[in-house]
Amino acid sequence: MKMYPTRAGIVPLVCLLALLACWPVAAVQAQARAWLDRERIALDETATLNVETTEAGVAAPDWSALESDFRLSGHTSSRQVEIVNGRSQARVLFAVALSPRRTGALVIPPLRVGSASTGPLTLTVGAADATPARAGDPAFIESELDADHAYVQQAIGYVLRLYYATPLISGELEQPAPDGAALQRIGNDVQYNRDIGGRRYTVVERRFLLVPERSGTLAIPGARFTGRGTGNFFDDLFRDGSRLLRADGAPRFLEVRPVPDGAPQPWLPLRGLQLKYLSTSQQARAGEAVEIVVEARADGASGSQLPALELTVDGGAQVFSEPPEVEEGFDQGRPVVRVTRQFSIVPARAGTLTVRGPRQAWWDVGADAARIAELPDLMVDVAPGQGAAAAAPDAGVRNVPPGIRVPGVQEPIGFWPLATVVFALLWLLTLGWALQRRPHASGGAHADVPDAVATGASTDPRMRMRALRDALQAGDLHAIADALCALATPPAEGLDALARRLADPQQRDAIDQLQRARWAGGDAAAARAAVRSAFREGPRWHDADAHEEQPVLPPLYPR
């Protein structure tokens, strides 16, 4: 029996072939990169060097070039497979802990991994910090503000450090939010080691962005830590082999000043602001775009606090701007941000075009004075355009190239580009129609899925299992822990509370492995695998909690 394609099947096929004919083919080459978890450390601390490659089956880099400046420890490796543009790509990550032998700017040379090499890095090592007041305790907390006083709406860096000398089985670190200020966690936790008084501590550093909302004295509550560490011989003999650890941080106080009289508006309190041209052009041609890239670097701010970079032009020209690219980070305990934005300027006629440089007023919190950051104006010589399109403005008739006129587009569009766009739109419409009909035609398991799943409601158990799957695929260990706690109804306050509600010993053991990987330097890859295997069919609760997870969830990874 012969099968003939229908009209509905021909249209998507033609569109797909047209798109594939125009799709660029890029050669896949192995790539390698290296980065440090911190660029500044003290002499008695450690930094983690990460080396990642897209080449599968390679051996670890040769670390011998680092031994003259560093003591090496904590070698780890992991492998992850991801789908990029329909292709399977492996990523292999190697990590090593670096303990500096001296102070200064220590250079990490390029490292060979497989067929690729990484770039050089620089680690700045300062003198050893002063010994914390509670050094010697099994666990303690210290906090740091980057300023003793601040202004309303000024971004302040707040760093929280948990020290523990006993390997942890589990733990929860909490920082209550203060009244009268916004407290936002920035980035992931940074973990390193530090020798204090002959005792080696593991340090978990957590960073926050603190923005006061009103003047006066701001009280920041002390942080709290509760965890379980490995016990001694008597703990193993008479108890469950663990010991309870508690630590309370001291509260911090910050004097917040009101907005000064006569301060520039909009109000922008900073430690520093620099504007810079990254790319300019002195020559242009009428009807053709010229690119200008502007950069802003702010010390003591987040990306959301900076006003948008703008360019204005004197003369006949159109200005098109790309969305800004924002890079946020921490430098010496305070927030810093780098914003770049690209502008495309299309002159309408020949002559001289004046591009007005950006100008931003701000308040210097160090000098308590108003400042202005600005860039000089740019003078661009615009030459006449090519062909008939560059004719003088007083010409009565223009030679219009052949093509099809589209409303809102200045020049006519050729037939083949327009046909490609039409084919693509038809293919998308056909695909949407097929996807819309599939649930009704199949009558399978998806036919009776409730509307809450389609709308992405986070209260639906299926969506919570999907969040756990996504966290296991691409998230860090803390994201996996949050996704596990969200499985319970109401969500569990921590992994320890979640474990007490689970009836399956394998699931409780998987949570224990995850806690060890988070706090005691356990195997992160093994912990992920254990969680994925144990929760494949969904959580299994005690009888008292069974009613919270109805209906029964489908498998996380169907067989």
Side-chain angles (χ1 to χ4, degrees), residues 502-534:
L502 292 170
D504 188 353
Q506 183 182 0
Q507 294 181 348
R508 294 196 298 267
D509 181 69
I511 290 179
D512 181 69
Q513 293 189 47
L514 180 62
Q515 290 284 55
R516 290 178 181 272
R518 293 176 66 196
W519 302 102
D523 190 341
R528 287 174 181 269
V531 173
R532 182 180 291 108
S533 176

Side-chain angles (χ1 to χ4, degrees), residues 318-364:
Q318 291 180 302
V319 180
F320 303 94
S321 58
E322 297 290 336
E325 298 181 2
V326 181
E327 298 180 7
E328 295 180 330
F330 258 65
D331 186 14
Q332 299 183 3
R334 62 175 178 261
V336 294
V337 62
R338 173 178 177 266
V339 180
T340 58
R341 195 171 194 184
Q342 177 179 319
F343 299 87
S344 297
I345 300 177
V346 183
R349 58 179 178 269
T352 300
L353 193 67
T354 302
V355 180
R356 300 297 179 185
R359 176 185 174 94
Q360 180 61 56
W362 59 285
W363 184 265
D364 189 341

